[in-house]
């Protein structure tokens, strides 16, 4: 089955309640993080566009939530505004996938697999 190309992730989250977002946040915060800090991450235009659509009072906090997760693996603090958490759900999935690809490519490189490349 082919995924819907026109799916808007933010629209899909319109029916998510505050309690459900809090439950997701608490569940993720309880998971142990074994990842060491990163020196950088791929900042996608979709991250920027999502933050630009937020009210100005939330934009700085959204950037902090995004970068702290991408660099340190830290989940957003309890009480993070719903609007930021709705975007974070999508950011997390993209950052985790990118990190997994990068880690695999680096692991292959150090394991002596010279023909390994990062697939995009």
């Amino acid at each position: 089955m082919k995924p819907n190309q026109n799916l808007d992730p933010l629209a899909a989250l319109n029916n998510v309640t505050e309690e459900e977002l809090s439950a997701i946040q608490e569940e993720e915060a309880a998971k142990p993080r074994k990842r060491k800090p990163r020196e950088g991450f791929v900042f996608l235009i979709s991250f920027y566009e999502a933050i630009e659509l937020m009210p100005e009072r939330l934009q700085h906090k959204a950037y902090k939530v995004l970068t702290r997760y991408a660099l340190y693996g830290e989940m957003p603090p309890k009480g993070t505004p719903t609007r930021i958490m709705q975007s974070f759900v999508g950011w997390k999935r993209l950052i985790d996938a990118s990190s997994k690809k990068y880690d695999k490519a680096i692991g292959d490189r150090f394991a002596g697999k010279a023909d390994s490349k990062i697939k995009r």
Side-chain angles (χ1 to χ4, degrees):
M1 185 167 156
K2 188 174 182 179
N4 185 353
Q5 297 291 334
N6 298 323
L7 178 66
D8 178 15
L10 295 179
L13 293 172
N14 284 339
N15 295 329
V16 177
T17 66
E18 187 80 35
E19 291 80 25
E20 290 170 324
L21 283 174
S22 293
I24 291 169
Q25 186 177 8
E26 289 172 9
E27 180 182 314
E28 288 296 320
K31 291 180 182 176
R33 295 285 178 221
K34 297 177 184 174
R35 187 169 92 190
K36 67 178 185 173
R38 296 209 171 273
E39 291 187 26
F41 70 100
V42 176
F43 188 89
L44 302 173
I45 193 168
S46 61
F47 299 163
Y48 172 78
E49 289 171 344
I51 293 172
E52 281 298 305
L53 292 173
M54 293 179 189
E56 281 190 34
R57 63 184 175 78
L58 296 178
Q59 290 179 0
H60 177 72
K61 185 166 184 89
Y63 280 113
K64 284 182 69 173
V65 164
L66 173 63
T67 54
R68 296 212 52 91
Y69 181 75
L71 298 174
Y72 302 104
E74 292 180 13
M75 293 300 293
K78 189 172 175 109
T80 299
T82 303
R83 180 65 183 95
I84 294 173
M85 287 304 298
Q86 287 175 332
S87 293
F88 178 76
V89 171
W91 297 339
K92 181 182 181 308
R93 189 179 69 247
L94 293 170
I95 290 168
D96 289 347
S98 176
S99 294
K100 187 176 179 180
K101 280 190 221 176
Y102 177 81
D103 290 343
K104 183 179 181 337
I106 294 299
D108 288 349
R109 186 180 311 157
F110 287 113
K113 298 178 183 176
D115 57 26
S116 169
K117 293 183 181 177
I118 297 176
K119 294 181 182 178
R120 296 187 187 251

